[in-house]
Amino acid sequence: MFKYFLGHSPTWYKYTMIAFLLLNVLFYFTLGPVITAWIFIAEFIFTLALALKCYPLQSGGLLAIQALALGLTTPEHAYHEVEANLEVILLLVFMVAGIYFMKPLLMYIFSKVFTKIKSKMLLSVLFVFLSAVLSAFLDALTVTAVLISVAAGFYGIYHKIHSSSADYDDSGILDRKELSGETLEQFRSFLRSLVMHGVVGTALGGVCTLVGEPQNLLIGEKMGWDFIEFFTRMAPITLPVFGLGILTTVFLEKTKLFGYGAKLPEVARKIIENYTAETDEKMTSREKYGLWVQAIAAIFLIIGLATHIAPVGFIGLGLIIIQTAFMGIVEEHHLGKAFEEALPFTGLLVVFFVIVAMIHDQHLFKPIIEWALSVDISKQPAVFYLANGILSMISDNVFVATVYIGELDKVYQAGGITREHYDKLAIAVNTGTNLPSVATPNGQAAFLFLLTSAIAPLINLSYLKMIKMAFPYTIVLGVSGLLGILYILS
């Protein structure tokens, strides 16, 4: 039983999980439910941190089942959390699968971008800028799914050449020899830095608009702000932060600090360029037709997401139907592959909502909210920003924003604060949950999706490496956001 428990995970990891499960029962009866709930959060973060040792669905799922068994939350309350986030779940199931069928188009475009733009600085800034703009008008998870598809596809090209006996650069040396060792590590580092720049870009853009992040919609609904009003109220803080984020990208690429700065190896560039040119020449009429179908579907996708004609998951399902119908993909086993990448993460997200329900039922954040409302009224926006930021690093930023804006609404309806002050606190909650939460993968769904995706182990992107690479952005975004709350908002 021990041999098969958690599969190929290290022995020490298995012993640690068993210890957690045994000690939690002892903690519950000796320390009480509230302290035990905090211990559960620490243990769940541990499972996320070691996602490359064991996928967190199993280890984190066992903790979630135990939390339910001990009565720290109930299945009904966990279901309510899932119900409240159904749009995110539908997005993951259908949108990621929809983008799977768009991979040939994405690879056709980005293989040209990667090989033609030789400046890594320009490429990095382009990734941050495009990710931010797309996230502002579409949504961060969809943009992250595109980033993952592009990185996985580009790594796939490298691996395909690396596994062959070809010599695409006519150097007289087999490409697999030229692409091994240090060249492979540099290529991984190159991809890793681009993906991290891109995923931070989703946070920079997501904070700006009503549709950028799920909690933005919730805050906008409570405040009665439309798209334009939301943007104009956030802009004095979010636009300077966006500018500083771009400058941080330039600084990191220039200094090569925190794991950034790796360039695409010249030998790899030449080989991939020749390989893609040869592939384009050999492209069949069916493959060319497929690219046209995917391009038209991409236009429909952008229009659908920008106009919010339907929930994102429904648009993703429509994307699957249009592409597969017109490309002739009608066999069930061909359709099934598209859903393989997103469903494990969807399962993990439901497990995460059990932990969120536990936080809610044990009122773990209530003392912090009460303290924040008790400080001097002039300091409250900054305090709320910091409280939301810190809690979003350890919990889900959507949940934190939901709790805080809900409590603030109650205080406002009871006449405890003025409308003007309520507006300021809402801005502090939105920026607080969106900006400092880039510090850890569990802060934002897009970061967690990247960490648990198929590309993460291929480019050696672990939990701790993500924290390290996000650290300079956390400092710049967090501090500049706080200064904006202190001086611009006031």
Side-chain angles (χ1 to χ4, degrees):
M1 190 188 290
F2 184 80
K3 179 185 175 183
Y4 294 117
F5 176 66
L6 298 181
H8 297 296
S9 305
T11 303
W12 64 266
Y13 184 90
K14 295 182 182 186
Y15 279 124
T16 304
M17 286 308 304
I18 292 168
F20 283 168
L21 294 168
L22 293 174
L23 289 171
N24 286 340
V25 178
L26 180 66
F27 292 147
Y28 179 77
F29 289 107
T30 55
L31 302 175
V34 174
I35 295 173
T36 306
W38 279 110
I39 292 168
F40 264 95
I41 292 171
E43 291 169 352
F44 189 73
I45 290 170
F46 170 85
T47 66
L48 295 176
L50 293 165
L52 298 184
K53 300 289 183 188
C54 173
Y55 193 73
L57 177 61
Q58 286 72 35
S59 46
L62 288 171
L63 292 171
I65 291 168
Q66 190 177 43
L68 288 164
L70 291 173
L72 295 173
T73 187
T74 65
E76 292 75 23
H77 290 172
Y79 180 76
H80 175 71
E81 292 296 336
V82 172
E83 199 175 31
N85 290 278
L86 182 61
E87 196 169 333
V88 176
I89 291 169
L90 287 175
L91 183 157
L92 282 167
V93 173
F94 295 123
M95 186 58 78
V96 175
I99 287 164
Y100 172 88
F101 292 110
M102 213 178 272
K103 271 186 182 178
L105 177 69
L106 292 171
M107 287 319 304
Y108 181 78
I109 294 167
F110 279 93
S111 60
K112 307 287 184 292
V113 170
F114 281 154
T115 52
K116 299 298 180 191
I117 300 176
K118 294 188 178 180
S119 167
K120 174 70 188 309
M121 181 87 71
L122 179 60
L123 200 57
S124 300
V125 170
L126 188 68
F127 260 64
V128 175
F129 182 80
L130 287 177
S131 297
V133 172
L134 289 171
S135 295
F137 293 97
L138 309 180
D139 72 90
L141 269 173
T142 303
V143 176
T144 305
V146 172
L147 284 170
I148 291 167
S149 290
V150 168
F154 202 53
Y155 188 89
I157 290 173
Y158 190 100
H159 181 70
K160 193 173 181 180
I161 301 167
H162 186 256
S163 305
S164 71
S165 300
D167 181 20
Y168 285 103
D169 61 345
D170 300 320
S171 63
I173 304 169
L174 288 179
D175 291 338
R176 66 164 174 256
K177 288 187 178 180
E178 290 185 281
L179 297 179
S180 298
E182 285 184 23
T183 308
L184 176 58
E185 286 309 310
Q186 191 179 335
F187 178 74
R188 281 174 171 158
S189 185
F190 165 78
L191 268 188
R192 190 166 58 235
S193 61
L194 277 183
V195 169
M196 280 302 294
H197 284 314
V199 83
V200 169
T202 65
L204 284 169
V207 67
C208 295
T209 64
L210 186 67
V211 297
E213 294 279 357
Q215 69 267 31
N216 299 18
L217 275 169
L218 178 77
I219 292 167
E221 187 184 323
K222 290 275 187 191
M223 306 306 294
W225 296 339
D226 59 17
F227 188 93
I228 300 296
E229 187 175 2
F230 188 98
F231 176 77
T232 51
R233 284 186 179 274
M234 297 297 162
I237 295 164
T238 56
L239 292 185
V241 170
F242 175 72
L244 288 168
I246 295 288
L247 289 175
T248 306
T249 304
V250 173
F251 172 79
L252 290 171
E253 286 301 318
K254 199 83 175 168
T255 58
K256 300 183 179 180
L257 294 170
F258 297 97
Y260 292 96
K263 296 178 180 178
L264 179 61
E266 199 53 45
V267 62
R269 182 194 304 281
K270 193 173 180 183
I271 290 168
I272 291 167
E273 205 167 357
N274 292 345
Y275 170 81
T276 51
E278 188 178 303
T279 307
D280 291 349
E281 282 175 23
K282 291 178 180 177
M283 197 179 287
T284 64
S285 57
R286 180 174 181 169
E287 287 169 335
K288 288 176 183 175
Y289 165 74
L291 291 178
W292 278 107
V293 172
Q294 292 156 35
I296 293 164
I299 293 166
F300 285 147
L301 170 66
I302 292 165
I303 292 169
L305 289 171
T307 57
H308 297 275
I309 199 166
V312 180
F314 284 12
I315 296 170
L317 181 56
L319 193 68
I320 294 169
I321 293 166
I322 289 168
Q323 290 183 104
T324 54
F326 285 95
M327 290 195 297
I329 302 168
V330 291
E331 295 84 7
E332 187 184 0
H333 60 278
H334 286 152
L335 290 168
K337 289 177 183 175
F339 293 90
E340 285 176 6
E341 191 172 324
L343 284 180
F345 179 70
T346 309
L348 175 60
L349 204 61
V350 172
V351 165
F352 186 61
F353 290 140
V354 175
I355 303 298
V356 168
M358 178 193 73
I359 292 169
H360 195 269
D361 285 359
Q362 298 304 320
H363 309 290
L364 299 187
F365 294 168
K366 194 176 180 183
I368 303 167
I369 296 169
E370 289 173 350
W371 168 75
L373 284 168
S374 69
V375 301
D376 184 79
I377 198 163
S378 63
K379 295 175 183 173
Q380 278 184 16
V383 169
F384 267 81
Y385 175 87
L386 287 169
N388 276 268
I390 293 164
L391 291 174
S392 292
M393 291 178 192
I394 59 169
S395 179
D396 169 44
N397 61 356
V398 178
F399 168 71
V400 173
T402 305
V403 171
Y404 268 80
I405 203 70
E407 291 296 322
L408 285 174
D409 192 55
K410 286 179 193 173
V411 174
Y412 171 67
Q413 297 298 341
I417 51 176
T418 64
R419 176 65 200 200
E420 186 188 359
H421 190 59
Y422 186 28
D423 288 346
K424 287 181 179 179
L425 292 180
I427 293 167
V429 169
N430 182 63
T431 50
T433 51
N434 275 302
L435 297 174
S437 58
V438 301
T440 64
N442 36 303
Q444 296 213 8
F447 280 58
L448 191 59
F449 185 32
L450 173 61
L451 175 69
T452 56
S453 69
I455 191 64
L458 298 178
I459 58 174
N460 295 335
L461 186 62
S462 64
Y463 187 95
L464 292 176
K465 197 162 275 184
M466 277 189 86
I467 290 176
K468 177 191 168 185
M469 294 184 79
F471 180 74
Y473 282 112
T474 306
I475 298 299
V476 173
L477 271 57
V479 172
S480 57
L482 179 61
L483 291 173
I485 295 289
L486 283 170
Y487 299 107
I488 300 171
L489 189 65
S490 299

